Amino acid sequence: MAGRIEDVAAAAGVSIKTVSRVLNNEPNVRQQTQQRVRDAVARLGYKPNPSARSLAGQRSYALALAYNNPSRNYLMEIQSGMLDACHGNHYNLLLGPVGIGQHALPDLRALFENSRPDGVVLIPPLTDDPVVLAYLRTHGIPFASIAPRDPSTGIGVRMDETTAVVELMRHLLALGHRRIGHIKGPRTHGACQWRHAGYRAALREAGIAYDPSLVVSGQFSFESGLPAAHRLLDLADPPTAIFAANDDMAAAVYRVAGGRGLRIPHDLSVCGFDDTPLASHIFPALTTVRQPTADMGRLASQQLIDRIRAPAAGAMITLEHTVLVRESTAAPGRRAGA
């Protein structure tokens, strides 16, 4: 039979409360004591009972991921990172689709009244939704944000997306591209603004006038990228390169370009943002910005768990980015619409 918590406490020579604190990764337990407890847990094959932990600590030992994001690849990467953090801290993970604005309220009530997670991780655009933020603050619910517009107001994780896009655009400009199309995300999404700002900043730096006809909107989904790509390639003077604000929309550009007989990158260079698994799975492999999405999910969850355990703990972490130059970009060849 697997050991009980009482057996672990006896084997380690500590109290049941100390065993609980070690298993919950709570602070102020000496390293030697932690090791004795963990050795006893391994030796006895002890498995914490989630229900008992919840009743004892008046917690659910669950985090929720609240999302309203059409990019399945992005969402799966965030979820993967969160699962790592939850597993390491003996937490469960709940998924909660949440509406925007006033439509968020019934979803939030259902999530917190029925499942009662100890805290929630928000991803864009919910990170900046005033209705969502007001609900959480009013009800005293701990939360961590991924890529918030204002990183000074809470805990979580972010990246300098504007600088990342400037570096990506410099790559296209160095190849000789001067007509570069851009497919933006939805206006409510902070990433839309940061990535568009990087696009414009790089053009200014190169002395190239901003042409609004080269900028179209999408919704960060593959489906929304299809009409956006058609609009750009239907121009009388189409772009020789397209920067899509995420990998899903970049993949849509591939579909549209292929349907027109255009070869990537010989006839049209394409780049994206995020470096989801899709970026290296499509052919030719996509030049993109690596946003460490799984790491962001893991670190945001860890900051949230730290805050749940100690109200003064947790921080807003800024991660580094990497521009990954792959096979989808080259010097401009014949005109993209020819």
Side-chain angles (χ1 to χ4, degrees):
M1 290 180 61
R4 303 172 302 157
I5 191 170
E6 294 86 352
D7 301 326
V8 173
V14 298
S15 68
I16 293 174
K17 183 176 181 180
T18 298
V19 174
S20 178
R21 291 175 63 193
V22 171
L23 294 177
N24 292 329
N25 294 320
E26 294 183 7
N28 303 321
V29 179
R30 289 186 300 175
Q31 189 65 40
Q32 289 180 334
T33 303
Q34 290 184 39
Q35 192 58 53
R36 290 207 313 274
V37 170
R38 296 191 191 284
D39 288 345
V41 166
R43 190 165 62 252
L44 297 170
Y46 174 68
K47 301 290 185 183
N49 184 318
S51 298
R53 291 172 70 219
S54 178
L55 289 171
Q58 295 185 331
R59 297 181 191 170
S60 65
Y61 289 94
L63 299 185
L65 168 58
Y67 64 93
N68 186 302
N69 191 306
S71 173
R72 290 180 291 273
N73 288 293
Y74 177 84
L75 184 61
M76 288 176 63
E77 287 287 292
I78 292 290
Q79 180 180 335
S80 173
M82 290 189 66
L83 283 169
D84 284 345
C86 287
H87 178 75
N89 290 276
H90 306 291
Y91 266 70
N92 293 316
L93 176 62
L94 308 172
L95 298 180
V98 173
I100 297 293
Q102 293 300 319
H103 297 291
L105 292 177
D107 297 327
L108 291 170
R109 291 190 193 104
L111 176 62
F112 289 101
E113 291 175 8
N114 297 336
S115 302
R116 300 186 181 277
D118 295 336
V120 59
V121 171
L122 304 175
I123 63 174
L126 298 180
T127 49
D128 305 306
D129 190 306
V131 173
V132 173
L133 297 176
Y135 180 93
L136 297 175
R137 288 168 177 151
T138 299
H139 292 82
I141 299 168
F143 67 92
S145 299
I146 292 178
R149 288 183 194 168
D150 184 359
S152 67
T153 59
I155 64 172
V157 63
R158 63 181 294 274
M159 194 182 83
D160 186 349
E161 300 184 28
T162 298
T163 298
V165 171
V166 169
E167 293 179 14
L168 181 66
M169 288 285 292
R170 284 174 182 162
H171 164 66
L172 292 174
L173 292 161
L175 290 172
H177 294 281
R178 292 299 177 267
R179 283 188 65 75
I180 302 172
H182 176 40
I183 304 178
K184 300 195 300 180
R187 287 186 306 162
T188 56
H189 204 302
C192 169
Q193 300 177 26
W194 297 322
R195 297 173 196 181
H196 184 232
Y199 170 81
R200 297 194 67 160
L203 292 177
R204 284 196 304 271
E205 182 180 86
I208 298 173
Y210 176 76
D211 183 350
S213 72
L214 288 172
V215 179
V216 297
S217 294
Q219 295 294 320
F220 281 147
S221 65
F222 176 86
E223 292 77 13
S224 71
L226 297 172
H230 278 297
R231 283 183 57 190
L232 289 174
L233 295 176
D234 281 342
L235 292 172
D237 187 11
T240 61
I242 294 176
F243 159 51
N246 78 340
D247 296 342
D248 286 14
M249 295 192 298
V253 177
Y254 276 51
R255 169 72 67 85
V256 172
R260 292 169 178 247
L262 300 177
R263 299 168 299 161
I264 297 171
H266 307 288
D267 307 319
L268 177 69
S269 287
V270 182
C271 49
F273 198 106
D274 285 334
D275 192 35
T276 58
L278 174 70
S280 56
H281 293 169
I282 57 178
F283 180 82
L286 181 66
T287 293
T288 190
V289 172
R290 182 178 187 272
Q291 179 170 230
T293 315
D295 288 343
M296 296 175 92
R298 177 177 57 81
L299 290 169
S301 299
Q302 188 60 59
Q303 298 311 302
L304 178 57
I305 291 170
D306 291 346
R307 173 62 58 90
I308 291 167
R309 290 170 176 159
M316 179 62 67
I317 299 173
T318 300
L319 297 183
E320 296 295 324
H321 64 269
T322 305
V323 175
L324 298 174
V325 177
R326 295 193 177 109
E327 292 79 33
S328 67
T329 50
R334 68 181 177 88
R335 300 182 72 83

